Structure formats: C-alpha cells, structure tokens
Amino acid sequence: MTPHATYRLQLQPAFPFAAAAQAVPYLASLGVSHLHLSPVLEAVPGSAHGYDVTDHARVRDELGGEEGLRALARTARAHGLGLVVDLVPNHMAAALPHNRPLWEVLRQGPSSPYARWFDIDWEAGGGKVLLPVLPARIGEVMGDLRVDAEAGLLRYGTQVFPLRDGTAGLPLPELLDAQWYRPVWWRLARTELNYRRFFTISDLIGVRVEDPEVFDATHAKIVELVRDGVVEGLRIDHPDGLADPEGYLRALRTATGGACWTVVEKILTDDETLPAAWPVAGTTGYDALRRVDGLFVDEAGAAELTELYRGFAAPAGDRGGHWDATARRAAYKVVTHELAAEVAFLTRTAGRICAADVRLRDHAPWALRAAVRELLIRVPVYRPYGSGAEDVLSADAALSAKGTFAVPKEAAAVDVVRDLALGRLGDGAEHTAFRVRFAQTASALRAKSLEDTAFYRYVPLLSANEVGGEPGRPAVSPEEFHTYCARVARDWPATGTVLSTHDTKRSADVRARIAVLSECPGRWAKLLGDVARVPAPDGQLAWTAWQTALGLGTPSAERLGGALLKAVREAGLRTSWTEQDAAYERAVAEFVAEGPAGPPQYTVAELARELDPYVRANVLGAALLHLTMPGVPDLYQGTEAVYEALVDPDNRAPFREARPDEKTALTQAALGLRRRCPKAFGEAGAYAPLAAVGPAARHCVAFARSGRVVTAVTRLSLRLAEAGGWGDTSLTLPEGRWADVLEGGGGGVAGGGAGFCGGRPVGLAELFAERPVALLARTE
C-alpha cells in the first residue's frame, strides 16, 4: 500500500512503542496514513537514534520489544494507520559485547562463520582486526588491562573483548599478540583501520549484505514483520554504502513479496536522477526539499549576500569565499586525512592488480595513491552508477587529475585507476573489490566533505546548506520547480518528499526565516553593523552565529551554544572534534553568551519581528507545496506546527504533541484533502503548472492536480511588498467552481468562503486576501 502521507517519530528509550501508541489518535487526526518509525531493531543500550544496530534478529527491548511493536501496529491499524520502518542495511554498531557476530569474529578469527559478515582486510592488519578503542598508545595503558581467565575476557575499564581459545593463561604481551584483534590508540583508525565502516565512524562497521547468507540473517526479522502485515513500508538508510545497491533492493523486494512501499535515502545532486532500474518507489525526498526551499530564495539578493559575506568573513584559504573552491579544499582535507585508510585500501588493491598484469606494472604506489585521491575528489555526485559512471568519471575529470602531477609520465596512473573504477580492466575478485570500494568511498567523501565540512565553511545563506542542497546556487526558479515536479509525477509518483528530517541541520521553519535575508541583504548588513560592538573570535563565526540566532528568533545560550560548537568543529578551521582548541572554544562560548544570547539578542528580535509577515509566507508556502506536490509527504515530528529546531541538540528530542497554530490548520486541511481525493494526489495524479499573468507574476507559484485541486503560494513576499503588491496580477483557474479549503481554519470545502469561477482570471490580491497561500478544491 502506498501511503498518502507519513509522520516521522524518533523512537528512543524515553519515547518507546507504548508512547507512540498513545500518540496515535492525535496523529490520525492530522490526516496522515502511516507512522514512519526510526530504526526498531536491537541497538546499543541507551541509543537515542537506533542507527547503531547490534542484533538484526530482535526488535529493540528498550522500545518494548516485538510485542510492543506489534501492539503499536494494532493500535495504528484501529485508527486507519500503517507503519513504515527505517531499515539500516549498510552497517551495525561495532559495540562489544552487544554485536555478537563481531564478537565471534574477534574470538575465532577468519575461520568464524561470521567472518563473511564484514569487509575485513586481514592481510593489511597482519591477520588481525584493528580495534581503535584505546585513549592512548597501548604501552601507556597496559597496566590498566585486565585478563578475566574464567570468563574468557580481556577488560579495559568498562570495555570487554573476547579471548581466543587457549590464550587466557599467557603473559599479557604474548596474550595480546595471540588474539585475532589488536586494540590500539583510537587515532590510528584514520590511517590503519582495516575494516569497512560508515563514513569515518569506526564505531559503525560495514555489513556485507551482498552475501545471500548475510542478507538472510540480517533481514529475517524485518521480512517477517512485513509478511505479517506489521510493517507496510521501508525507508532504506544510506544505500550508497552497499556493494551492490540495485542487487540489494531486488533481493529485498523478492524477500518482502514486492508489496512493500520502499524509498531510499539517496542524495541526488543537481539534475541527477535515481537509477531507473531500482525497484523502489523513489527517494526519501531531499531532492524535493532543495526545490521547495530554493523557490523562496531571491537570486539577486543571494548574490549580494555572498558579496557581503566575502567582505565580512574573509574565509581563509578558500579563494575569497567561493563555493567551488571551498568544496574542493574540503574534499582534499577529508580524502587526505579522515579517509586515509580507505584510500590506502584502494591503493593496495590497485597495486596488486598492477603487479599481476605485466601491462600495468611499474606504477609507483605514491602515484596510484595520488590518482585515487584526485579522481575521488572529482566525482561530482555521491556515487557513480551503471552506464552513467562513464559521464561521472569523465575523460575531462581524468585530464584535470593528471594536471596535478609534476611528472607527466607518472600521471598515467590516473588512467589505470579510472579504468579500474569503471570496471574496464577485468572482473576478477580484486577488480570487483576495487570498483565497489571506490564507489563506496566516493559517497563517503562527498557526504563528509560537503555536508559535514564545506557546509560549515561556506555560509552566506545558511538555509541553503542542507543535505542535497547547492550553496553556490541556492535559488530555484518557478520553471525549474515545475520541471522537477512534472518529472516526479511522470517517473516517480510515489517517491518521498520532506522539508525537515532527523538529519536536517535546521528545520524548515528556521530555514524559512533565514531565506528572507536573500530579499533584504541591506537589512542584514545593518544588523551586523548594529551588533558589531560584541567582538567575535572571527568573522566566519560571527556571520554564522547571528544568522542562526535570527533563524531561531529567540535563541537560548544552551541551544545556540551547542549548535555553534558543532559548527566550528565540523568546519575544522580553528578547532575540530579530534583536535580541539580549548581556548578558541571558550572564546566561542563567551561570544555566544555576550552576543547572540546576550543583550544584542533584542536587536536580532526586532529584525525578526519586522520580517515576520514574510517569514509567514515562506513557512506556509513551503508547507503547502510539500503537502500537495507530487510524491508522498513525510512530516517530521512536530512540524505540523511552526517548528524551530537545530540539528544539535534538537533532532534527538522525544516526540511532543504540537501546539496547534495556523500551520497546523493548513496541514490538516491539505492532508484531509489528500485523503478525500486520492486520485488527484496518487500515482495516477496529473501535475499541471498554472501561470500567473501581470507585473507580479513571478511571485506566484501555482499548479493543478488532476484538474481537481489547485495549489497557489506567494514567493519572495518581501520583494513583492516593496514593489507595491499584486496590483492587477491574476491567475486563471481550470474550468469549474472552486472553493478554498483553508477558509474557516481548514474545516473542509463545504461551508467555506466565497468560491472562484474557473476559466477566467482571478485577481491574486483577492485570492491571497486572507493568507499568502490558497488551496482550492473543485466543487463542480
């Protein structure tokens, strides 16, 4: 069953299945058809998110176990709702002793039946698994290691490790050498790690679901839940990390019987499309987020903001604050440092392939390593797929990579690496391992270098720095939006769409407020001047802090301080997660307390109040587009009302029933209409752009769904007001009689306000007289 709308709940020990069941009547009243649950399988004790799975065969006890999940499904079904579950196939927690398959591999070594579960390079580790778990070099902590011979354990503080059979009685140095693992200083993970992990997180070990036995073992429980009707839909986390995403999705479809609505967390870049052969309904919706957000960004104003930013923040080393240079510099940092172990694996594998083929010999390891790095940073998407890989790893990219070599003849290594990545040099085990790991590493590099680094270094307009976003080109024209929607309606009508998620750096409503700055860069410049009396450690921090404060409207020191500490550590310019500069971080905290969270916050609040009418237009406009455009809208918990949140510390908070407001009424009205008119919004629902006519035409975005529903919203409302309003701008509706579903607080079509006649122009001043958006339903 394809949902008509889903509602995301963040499950955790503080909000288990029973608490979710209590929320069901309220959520049903909103008009959604399915609850979208964060991961439900057994995870690290106390986990607030559940992506650190430890046992695929069990539903998480801390949430209420399998009976709790089945009870939730029964309660949901009694209220007309189904369940969609977040599934994490790519990795699991490396936590011991909770991850029993990994525990057995560490105890038994490569002969363990569980060894096939994980991508472990035993040769690189000298026959051992490197475990980066110690706070210092092992020689400095040996005195704190304890052998529990009776239990067969090695202990370090609260950590435990299994002992290989027959080794418990050995002296400690010999005992350590005799194990199938090597506990080391955590810093060695960067260069020495010999197992595949999730991005750069060594605590999450990659799982080989491409192996049929591993797939069956890790999916038996979720397949059972699907076949029993407990789960009706699946969100697939990070498919780019898998060895063969398409093969995995086909296996999943076969296992679940093909009747399960499935979307993938695939981040698409610019005009990239989802591989047509993937047996899924679509993506989780970050591509929709970018198009909706971009409509509310003024292109000229964004360019002016960027110039102001370059003069104010003067980002060091990034060519004066240009996006492309910032992104490239961040990619070099990540591929050289954070992903050094992954590059080393690719270099070793390429070296072995070259050594085994006389035609490919005599490429120096350093040249192969450089070629791997240079090609990885030139992959313009998260991961190359199928025939499209030729375009992604293009000849131009290879030529550019070769230009970085001082000795032209050494640059021939680029051709070898490119051919290996494209699968041109053979299909043996080593060749396949290289091709697959290159693609997996490319996705990790793009995520870490863009989302987790460059997005914190290049900040002219923070609302554009979102997953799947294009900070260098934040504005989206109405024509681009309509083209995207028409393509979705044609090719992926049941895809997911989102505006806020557990991963968005700022909620949609915070982004809506910040986006207004693109319409008034002069007011933003004045604000910076007014608050300049509070000195900041650097201009980059000040720009980020004041924009974040404006986005929140009324910031607290705790919330703003946590978000900005994360921002400066992710940027890695003055401090980082692994190399913390305590003095700089104190200066950041002091600035927050004296500046954005201190007396100057009232200056920020004054500007926020001035912008409130235009923020309202953005908030309501984005929400209505999201709820009525092609696809299946997913509402993140709390976003049915105005929801102002940051990634930290807000995105792990338990669900709380929202306080109803104007946005809630709009949400209920739109979702109610989706439920009453499934053919207008479903997979067969047509999409037709409607063009306004008149001097303010570009401030209106409108479309019809199957001739039964019309959505119209105001964009760039501040610019519109400055230009004198709608004037005689009009919109011609399709034939028929139309009523605004939002009249009377969203109570439905019947009893609404005055209707509109189709087939002739309707003045937008009249259409938007009460609110900056309209949702019309055909009454005859």
Side-chain angles (χ1 to χ4, degrees):
M1 175 184 177
T2 298
H4 73 249
T6 61
Y7 191 98
R8 170 75 176 211
L9 290 173
Q10 288 297 107
L11 300 170
Q12 53 184 286
F15 186 78
F17 298 133
Q22 292 177 355
V24 163
Y26 164 73
L27 298 177
S29 73
L30 288 178
V32 299
S33 64
H34 286 71
L35 306 184
H36 173 192
L37 307 180
S38 58
V40 300
L41 298 180
E42 196 62 75
V44 172
S47 173
H49 52 81
Y51 288 93
D52 44 2
V53 176
T54 57
D55 188 348
H56 297 86
R58 293 174 57 85
V59 176
R60 189 174 177 188
D61 287 337
E62 288 180 305
L63 301 181
E66 185 169 338
E67 181 48 43
L69 177 60
R70 289 179 179 270
L72 171 59
R74 290 192 294 271
T75 300
R77 191 175 300 114
H79 288 78
L81 305 183
L83 301 185
V84 174
V85 166
D86 199 336
L87 183 60
V88 189
N90 176 70
H91 52 268
M92 59 190 302
L96 300 174
H98 310 291
N99 184 334
R100 298 308 298 184
L102 180 59
W103 180 272
E104 291 304 312
V105 171
L106 298 180
R107 188 174 70 84
Q108 300 176 355
S111 65
S112 168
Y114 291 104
R116 66 193 307 159
W117 278 49
F118 309 109
D119 282 314
I120 298 171
D121 188 344
W122 292 98
E123 182 179 347
K128 300 177 184 293
V129 180
L130 184 133
L131 296 180
V133 295
L134 301 180
R137 296 180 180 87
I138 194 164
E140 301 173 39
V141 299
M142 285 224 4
D144 298 320
L145 294 173
R146 298 288 181 268
V147 176
D148 185 338
E150 183 176 349
L153 299 176
L154 176 67
R155 299 182 183 274
Y156 177 78
T158 59
Q159 298 186 76
V160 294
F161 311 93
L163 290 179
R164 185 176 178 179
D165 290 349
T167 64
L170 296 173
L172 186 57
E174 287 84 349
L175 179 146
L176 291 172
D177 287 342
Q179 302 312 311
W180 290 112
Y181 56 89
R182 180 185 162 209
V184 301
W185 188 23
W186 64 268
R187 287 186 176 275
L188 292 183
R190 179 179 290 176
T191 55
E192 308 302 318
L193 197 72
N194 65 325
Y195 59 80
R196 184 174 67 85
R197 56 185 168 172
F198 171 66
F199 292 167
T200 59
I201 304 174
S202 302
D203 291 340
L204 297 174
I205 186 169
V207 179
R208 298 183 65 252
V209 292
E210 66 272 19
D211 184 306
E213 289 188 22
V214 178
F215 177 92
D216 290 344
T218 55
H219 286 70
K221 178 53 65 179
I222 206 73
V223 167
E224 175 191 334
L225 294 169
V226 170
R227 290 187 175 273
D228 287 352
V230 175
V231 172
E232 296 179 357
L234 295 171
R235 172 200 184 269
I236 307 304
D237 184 69
H238 188 46
D240 280 341
L242 304 175
D244 178 11
E246 182 179 336
Y248 167 79
L249 294 169
R250 291 193 180 281
L252 182 64
R253 184 176 186 179
T254 298
T256 58
C260 187
W261 180 75
T262 303
V263 291
V264 289
E265 189 201 23
K266 175 74 184 94
I267 313 304
L268 300 172
T269 301
D270 203 15
D271 292 327
E272 181 189 11
T273 58
L274 196 65
W278 284 16
V280 295
T283 72
T284 54
Y286 286 110
D287 42 314
L289 182 157
R290 178 184 167 241
R291 269 70 176 199
V292 172
D293 273 14
L295 276 176
F296 299 94
V297 174
D298 181 68
E299 184 174 12
E304 190 174 339
L305 272 179
T306 301
E307 289 305 313
L308 287 170
Y309 166 70
R310 289 170 182 159
F312 183 91
D318 287 328
R319 299 182 189 172
H322 291 271
W323 168 245
D324 289 343
T326 301
R328 179 63 60 87
R329 184 178 174 87
Y332 271 116
K333 167 187 174 287
V334 173
V335 81
T336 302
H337 298 286
E338 285 91 326
L339 293 175
E342 286 72 14
V343 169
F345 173 88
L346 290 167
T347 303
R348 290 192 302 271
T349 306
R352 289 194 297 269
I353 293 171
C354 289
D357 188 336
V358 68
R359 299 167 301 173
L360 303 177
R361 290 176 187 166
D362 297 339
H363 288 286
W366 73 262
L368 292 171
R369 182 182 303 109
V372 167
R373 288 175 178 166
E374 296 296 336
L375 281 176
L376 280 171
I377 67 168
R378 286 167 173 78
V379 176
V381 296
Y382 277 74
R383 175 170 172 163
Y385 282 102
S387 59
E390 293 275 354
D391 297 326
V392 170
L393 287 171
S394 65
D396 288 343
L399 186 62
S400 172
K402 288 179 180 179
T404 64
F405 282 71
V407 180
K409 282 213 166 193
E410 298 283 9
V414 171
D415 292 325
V416 173
V417 170
R418 178 171 179 255
D419 286 344
L420 285 171
L422 292 173
R424 291 174 171 174
L425 297 181
D427 57 0
E430 292 271 47
H431 298 77
T432 300
F434 183 94
R435 176 178 54 78
V436 168
R437 191 65 64 86
F438 185 93
Q440 292 169 321
T441 305
S443 71
L445 172 59
R446 191 164 183 90
K448 294 303 296 182
S449 64
L450 293 189
E451 298 171 27
D452 294 346
T453 306
F455 279 9
Y456 292 97
R457 292 183 172 188
Y458 181 89
V459 294
L461 186 66
L462 283 174
S463 59
N465 294 17
E466 207 47 82
V467 179
E470 295 284 344
R473 193 175 69 86
V476 172
S477 70
E479 293 80 9
E480 289 177 283
F481 176 79
H482 289 313
T483 297
Y484 168 78
C485 287
R487 175 164 56 81
V488 169
R490 183 191 68 230
D491 298 337
W492 302 98
T495 189
T497 63
V498 295
L499 288 185
S500 297
T501 75
H502 63 288
D503 276 336
T504 44
K505 292 173 170 47
R506 298 155 195 91
S507 66
D509 297 336
V510 171
R511 301 197 308 273
R513 184 178 295 278
I514 293 172
V516 175
L517 294 179
S518 71
E519 303 177 63
C520 57
R523 296 195 202 188
W524 170 245
K526 181 180 183 302
L527 173 68
L528 291 178
D530 290 344
V531 297
R533 62 184 181 275
V534 180
D538 56 76
Q540 175 88 352
L541 171 68
W543 185 283
T544 300
W546 293 115
Q547 236 181 63
T548 304
L550 182 69
L552 286 174
T554 53
S556 69
E558 181 181 1
R559 292 179 69 204
L560 193 58
L564 290 174
L565 180 60
K566 175 183 173 66
V568 295
R569 286 179 176 175
E570 295 283 18
L573 295 171
R574 300 282 298 274
T575 187
S576 71
W577 295 105
T578 56
E579 282 77 38
Q580 295 172 14
D581 184 327
Y584 178 75
E585 293 186 0
R586 281 196 301 273
V588 170
E590 291 168 1
F591 167 68
V592 170
E594 297 172 9
Q601 70 178 280
Y602 301 108
T603 303
V604 177
E606 182 179 352
L607 177 58
R609 282 192 297 272
E610 292 176 13
L611 299 181
D612 273 345
Y614 317 110
V615 174
R616 174 182 178 240
N618 283 7
V619 168
L620 297 181
L624 186 56
L625 290 174
H626 175 221
L627 293 170
T628 58
M629 68 190 291
V632 177
D634 180 52
L635 280 74
Y636 187 70
Q637 58 183 34
T639 59
E640 67 271 23
V642 170
Y643 179 77
E644 295 171 336
L646 305 175
V647 66
D648 281 333
D650 303 324
N651 71 343
R652 298 292 184 246
F655 165 83
R656 289 188 304 173
E657 190 171 317
R659 179 178 298 174
D661 59 13
E662 183 181 26
K663 186 182 175 187
T664 310
L666 179 149
T667 299
Q668 288 179 309
L671 291 178
L673 191 58
R674 289 186 74 99
R675 186 182 288 275
R676 293 193 302 274
C677 304
K679 292 183 179 179
F681 294 99
E683 295 185 43
Y687 178 89
L690 300 177
V693 176
R698 292 191 64 77
H699 290 280
C700 174
V701 173
F703 53 81
R705 302 301 311 274
S706 301
R708 305 299 306 176
V709 175
V710 167
T711 290
V713 307
T714 304
R715 66 184 291 263
L716 309 183
S717 59
L718 175 52
R719 295 291 201 201
L720 173 67
E722 291 174 340
W726 291 111
D728 60 0
T729 306
S730 64
L731 180 71
T732 299
L733 302 175
E735 294 290 341
R737 294 282 303 175
W738 299 84
D740 193 341
V741 179
L742 303 180
E743 286 293 326
V749 175
F756 301 95
C757 291
R760 62 190 186 191
V762 175
L764 291 182
E766 177 187 1
L767 185 65
F768 295 134
E770 297 297 324
R771 61 187 64 79
V773 299
L775 177 60
L776 309 179
R778 187 172 176 176
T779 59
E780 60 179 60

